[in-house]
């Protein structure tokens, strides 16, 4: 790049800037009353979110958990995606206890999240700008799923060593184009040969997500079981999560710095490639004088355009 011709003019360009930082998503900031939140009538009480407020999801620490809700009338409804809960019932079998973690409570605090995992529409956690580097997440079985695997029910079989049953959770990180970047697996139940007497996980397990790297737009979840029928998996497709840790994403000027060195500044400058005190603007095909510290305010930056 030839910078000898100097600056032609300077300009003040404004857009939305966001400083990155590590956060813990522990759901202690969600509301526990109002639209969409219902009281649990079973042992231990507590409340849970049904999604009946039709908001399409909820946020915790700026991270969005998608859900959907359908009212079928007559007191019947269906939901998928995410809920949050404070219920602690580890005794009651069946669908009525679908919002409880089998651990008897949250990994930390009082609130945790529960998801119903559909194979054709995996539940998504949408990450905010500046926090696109997942570090870890705590996961657990729900009481509905664990009791079903332990005892069997009207729809699903009891897990046994003879059948070498298992339930596997897959957690995937997606990029901006929706393509999978990386994934990790965890056995929530494992009765295969070589696992002693087999187990159904009854405690929270912290899963390392650091290999996902930066630039992750969403985290999705999938389940696979040895108990399947004509309509898919018979094992209740539920998991509980808590304490999602998101690391600081490498950034430039408050915007995410992608692994290939490019930065999407949105309405401010579009896509740019910073290099020292200069940056290439994809929008105009020009190099500009643009030190990272040249911010006139929290949402504006000065740039100098080169010949």
């Amino acid at each position: 790049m030839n910078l000898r011709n100097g600056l032609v003019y300077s300009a003040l360009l404004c857009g939305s800037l966001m400083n990155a930082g590590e956060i813990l998503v522990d759901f202690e900031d969600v509301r526990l009353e109002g639209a969409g939140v219902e009281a649990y009538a079973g042992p231990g009480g507590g409340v849970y979110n049904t999604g009946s407020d039709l908001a399409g999801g909820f946020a915790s620490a700026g991270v969005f958990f998608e859900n959907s809700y359908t009212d079928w009338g007559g007191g019947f409804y269906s939901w998928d995606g995410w809920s949050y809960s404070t219920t602690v019932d580890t005794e009651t079998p069946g669908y009525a206890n679908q919002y409880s973690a089998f651990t008897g409570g949250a990994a930390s605090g009082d609130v945790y999240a529960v998801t119903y995992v559909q194979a054709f529409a995996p539940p998504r956690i949408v990450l905010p700008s500046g926090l696109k580097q997942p570090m870890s997440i705590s996961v657990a079985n729900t009481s509905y799923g664990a009791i079903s695997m332990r005892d069997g029910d009207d729809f699903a079989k009891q897990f046994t060593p003879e059948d070498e049953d298992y339930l596997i959770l897959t957690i995937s990180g997606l990029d901006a184009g929706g393509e999978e970047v990386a994934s990790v697996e965890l056995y929530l139940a494992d009765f295969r040969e070589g696992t002693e007497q087999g187990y159904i996980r009854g405690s929270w397990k912290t899963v390392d997500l650091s290999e996902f790297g930066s630039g992750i737009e969403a985290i999705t979840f999938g389940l696979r079981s040895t108990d399947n029928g004509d309509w898919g998996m018979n094992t209740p497709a539920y998991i509980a999560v808590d304490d999602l840790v998101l690391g600081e994403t490498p950034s430039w000027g408050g915007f995410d710095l992608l692994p290939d060195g490019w930065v999407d500044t949105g309405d401010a400058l579009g896509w740019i490639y910073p290099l020292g005190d200069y940056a290439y603007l994809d929008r105009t095909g020009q190099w500009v004088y643009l030190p990272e510290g040249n911010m006139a305010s929290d949402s504006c930056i000065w740039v100098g355009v080169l010949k």
Side-chain angles (χ1 to χ4, degrees), residues 121-144:
R124 289 173 18 112
I125 299 174
V126 182
L127 304 186
S129 177
L131 291 167
K132 298 187 182 297
Q133 186 159 352
M135 302 303 294
S136 65
I137 190 170
S138 294
V139 301
N141 278 304
T142 64
S143 294
Y144 180 23

Side-chain angles (χ1 to χ4, degrees), residues 203-244:
S203 60
W204 290 98
K205 172 66 174 179
T206 299
V207 180
D208 183 6
L209 303 179
S210 59
E211 68 180 61
F212 286 10
S214 61
I216 301 300
E217 292 289 327
I219 305 171
T220 64
F221 298 77
L223 288 171
R224 302 196 314 275
S225 169
T226 46
D227 183 14
N228 301 283
D230 293 339
W231 302 100
M233 195 170 77
N234 294 328
T235 309
Y238 291 76
I239 59 168
V241 307
D242 202 359
D243 291 351
L244 169 64

Side-chain angles (χ1 to χ4, degrees), residues 1 3 252 274-279 287-294 304 306:
M1 133 180 103
L3 304 179
W252 179 94
L275 187 63
D277 287 342
Y278 301 89
W287 284 94
V288 299
Y289 177 69
L290 186 56
E292 185 177 4
N294 268 20
L306 304 171

Side-chain angles (χ1 to χ4, degrees), residues 54-85:
L54 303 181
F58 59 89
S60 178
V63 178
F64 193 69
F65 295 77
E66 298 178 334
N67 65 29
S68 63
Y69 173 92
T70 303
D71 186 350
W72 300 103
F76 295 97
Y77 71 89
S78 62
W79 68 282
D80 60 75
W82 292 95
S83 170
Y84 55 82
S85 175

Side-chain angles (χ1 to χ4, degrees), residues 107-195:
S108 65
D110 299 313
V111 191
Y112 57 92
V114 173
T115 184
Y116 171 53
V117 181
Q118 294 195 85
F120 59 86
R124 289 173 18 112
I125 299 174
V126 182
L127 304 186
S129 177
L131 291 167
K132 298 187 182 297
Q133 186 159 352
M135 302 303 294
S136 65
I137 190 170
S138 294
V139 301
N141 278 304
T142 64
S143 294
Y144 180 23
I147 294 173
S148 172
M149 290 185 286
R150 185 189 68 193
D151 302 334
D153 57 34
D154 292 340
F155 305 100
K157 72 183 295 290
Q158 180 186 34
F159 278 25
T160 66
E162 292 76 19
D163 291 338
E164 296 196 66
D165 290 306
Y166 58 78
L167 178 67
I168 301 176
L169 168 67
T170 301
I171 307 174
S172 302
L174 308 184
D175 62 18
E179 297 296 321
E180 182 179 295
V181 174
S183 65
V184 295
E185 290 188 342
L186 173 71
Y187 281 86
L188 295 177
D190 193 357
F191 287 79
R192 297 173 302 157
E193 184 178 357
T195 58

